[in-house]
Amino acid sequence: MTVRVAIAGSTGSIGTQTIEVIRAENDRAPGSYAVTALSAGSSVDLVLAQIDELRPDVVAIADEDARREVAARTTGVTIVADSADVIDVADVIVNGVVGFAGLAVTVGTLRAGKRLALANKESLIAAGPVVQPLRTTPGAELVPVDSEHCALHQCLRSSSAPDREVARLLLTASGGPFRGRTEDDLAAVTVESALAHPTWAMGPKITVDSSTLMNKGLEVIEAHELYGTPYEDIDVVVHPQSVVHSMVEFSDGSTIAQLSMPTMHLPIGYALGYPDRIATPFGRIDWTTLGSLDFEPPDRSTFRCLDLAYAAGRIGGTAPAWLSAANEVAVEGFLSGKVRWNAIADVCVEVLERHDGAIPSDVDDVIEADQIARRIAERIVEQQ
Ligand SMILES: NC(=O)c1ccc[n+]([C@@H]2O[C@H](COP(=O)([O-])OP(=O)(O)OC[C@H]3O[C@@H](n4cnc5c(N)ncnc54)[C@H](OP(=O)(O)O)[C@@H]3O)[C@@H](O)[C@H]2O)c1
């Protein structure tokens, strides 16, 4: 049976790698997957090339001018504005949109009772209390694509107990490009150096988040939302080689880890094939050349964003939405030269200090929280 896949954010790092996995699987077993829908922000030429190759039924383009241009240059494809309109024509929806813009796809997919292959962590972090109940929609299934959460998902399959017998989740972090540097060293880092990730090639927002350890902090909240593990039982360990993707320590003292060379093709293929494993191998380890695997604690005082995320997660309600929105604004400010790298954490601290304590009861509340936090963050950025 052909699995119909919609790729939201098809022109990005996750989106293009999803297409590579599907190409490889279809080369091995023709007709395994059909890409029935795509969505993108504004990358006209790339999305046109993808339409030409994959012949989807529906393509969503967020940017109005780009949408008009794509519509004018294609035939036989329904062109729409809203990313969430890709859901109807697919069995599995890969959410590779970046940032809060991914919320509609996350919510719409779970509400439609379909499989969500979730790379867009921001939607789960911002809207955790609203997304949780949707996971019980008949047919709805959330399989994480983030490599750490995919690793945890695989490790947790080793227990059939209702509580999974978990003592601790251990998220690994590469440490990013600035591992080992002091706050003084980092006073004047350039955008170029923040984008030079040592082990992963990703989109710009998540790459900057990796440099500040905000990405790991957001992943702590993501792990809490996905697996219900209390924050005090989620730890972070720096592992510069990015071969151990995360670990679960069980109640009897055993630790189970998932290993592969760093590639997103593996977690994407896992989410597409689940509960089976795809037959195309990605990230196989050559143990004769692997060398050593190192582990060290994170530097929590230089990389303040990690503990900020723990704090926002523990506050709960809309605090993670506020943190995520503040971080998006600060990172955009850094990428456009308005904010120093060191000030990303300052912007997030200042925004969180003004959190109004709200608890979201629906998607509109989450959108409102995002907008309030964004406005506060934008004002702070303008004053930098
Ligand atoms: N990249 C990785 O290895 C990786 C690993 C783990 C998790 N993730 C997560 O996956 C998500 C995507 O990351 P990425 O690195 O793939 O980002 P990216 O390379 O920047 O790609 C983002 C995608 O989102 C699209 N997009 C942007 N704004 C949009 C909007 N308003 N509506 C619809 N689509 C929009 C972009 O379209 P345009 O190209 O047209 O702008 C692009 O297709 C993030 O949440 C990230 O944290 C990524």
Side-chain angles (χ1 to χ4, degrees), residues 8-15 17 39-44 46 60-63 81 83 95-99 101-102 118-122 145-148 200-207 209 215 219 264:
S10 66
T11 50
S13 162
I14 291 293
Q17 292 181 87
S39 92
S42 59
S43 300
V44 172
L46 184 49
I61 308 286
D63 180 82
S83 267
N95 189 352
V97 174
V98 64
L118 183 67
N120 176 270
K121 65 191 83 183
E122 294 92 342
V145 167
D146 226 350
S147 57
E148 295 78 359
W200 294 99
M202 308 180 286
K205 193 255 176 187
I206 185 175
T207 306
D209 286 350
N215 183 50
E219 287 178 3
M264 288 308 293

Side-chain angles (χ1 to χ4, degrees), residues 31-52:
S32 303
Y33 294 94
V35 177
T36 49
L38 301 171
S39 92
S42 59
S43 300
V44 172
D45 290 338
L46 184 49
V47 92
L48 283 171
Q50 293 177 342
I51 292 170
D52 208 32

Side-chain angles (χ1 to χ4, degrees), residues 80-118:
V80 295
D82 189 348
S83 267
D85 286 342
V86 303
I87 295 164
D88 280 355
V89 295
D91 309 306
V92 179
I93 293 84
V94 178
N95 189 352
V97 174
V98 64
F100 189 74
L103 180 65
V105 175
T106 293
V107 167
T109 301
L110 295 174
R111 209 172 256 158
K114 297 194 174 186
R115 167 151 349 138
L116 174 65
L118 183 67

Side-chain angles (χ1 to χ4, degrees), residues 205-241:
K205 193 255 176 187
I206 185 175
T207 306
V208 174
D209 286 350
S210 298
S211 77
T212 59
L213 287 200
M214 178 60 89
N215 183 50
K216 208 49 53 183
L218 296 178
E219 287 178 3
V220 167
I221 303 176
E222 186 183 3
H224 171 79
E225 291 296 338
L226 281 171
Y227 304 117
T229 310
Y231 284 102
E232 57 271 25
D233 297 335
I234 305 176
D235 282 342
V236 170
V237 58
V238 172
H239 164 51
Q241 292 85 3

